[in-house]
Amino acid sequence: MTKKVTELESGKIKISEDVYATIASITALDTKGVHHMSTTFNDGVNTFFRRKTDHEGVKISFNDDGAIVVVLYISIAYGYRIPDIALRLQERIKTALVNYTEIEVEAVDIVVQDIIFDDFGPECSLSMEE
């Protein structure tokens, strides 16, 4: 597990990737229009081997300078504009990460994997059979 290390006069602070992923996940789920976090292939493999995490759909990496790159895999509720939600998510997650951890954020990438229609009932769902 990669950790970001901040050195101070009184010692070092190490923040785990899981902390960054949790902050991003909570912020995303608290954003209007985000239905839920989607799973990735790695999340599916981890679930198969019973290593489920609380931050499915979040991938964290760091560049050579120590700046963080966040990739979110989300499902959006029907009726919301995808570009608006993606932009709002990028801004909110960057702000949350900087406020809580003071890390430099290089990028917040949003991958919309699904649109959820269940809030409108079964008559609004789309099917490939029609």
Side-chain angles (χ1 to χ4, degrees):
M1 185 84 24
T2 305
K3 294 183 172 105
K4 170 73 171 135
V5 178
T6 304
E7 294 195 32
L8 304 172
E9 287 181 22
S10 58
K12 295 180 183 180
I13 299 173
K14 294 181 183 180
I15 300 176
S16 172
E17 279 182 21
D18 291 339
V19 173
Y20 297 116
T22 300
I23 292 169
S25 180
I26 289 171
T27 304
L29 291 172
D30 194 37
T31 302
K32 190 172 183 176
V34 175
H35 191 275
H36 65 272
M37 304 298 291
S38 295
T39 57
T40 62
F41 176 75
N42 288 340
D43 293 334
V45 170
N46 287 338
T47 300
F48 179 75
F49 288 111
R50 295 181 180 28
R51 293 184 298 207
K52 187 171 172 71
T53 62
D54 292 333
H55 44 77
E56 283 187 350
V58 181
K59 181 182 171 196
I60 301 291
S61 60
F62 298 92
N63 68 11
D64 294 336
D65 297 328
I68 192 170
V69 177
V70 180
V71 181
L72 289 175
Y73 298 87
I74 62 169
S75 293
I76 292 183
Y78 176 77
Y80 291 91
R81 291 192 68 235
I82 294 171
D84 292 345
I85 293 196
L87 182 61
R88 187 177 320 126
L89 267 176
Q90 288 173 323
E91 292 171 354
R92 292 188 76 221
I93 289 170
K94 180 179 180 179
T95 301
L97 288 170
V98 170
N99 287 344
Y100 288 122
T101 65
E102 296 183 359
I103 192 166
E104 181 183 339
V105 179
E106 179 180 322
V108 178
D109 297 328
I110 309 296
V111 180
V112 178
Q113 291 189 314
D114 201 4
I115 298 175
I116 305 300
F117 293 89
D118 59 68
D119 293 340
F120 295 95
E123 61 276 352
C124 289
S125 62
L126 295 178
S127 173
M128 297 299 288
E129 299 171 3
E130 297 176 359

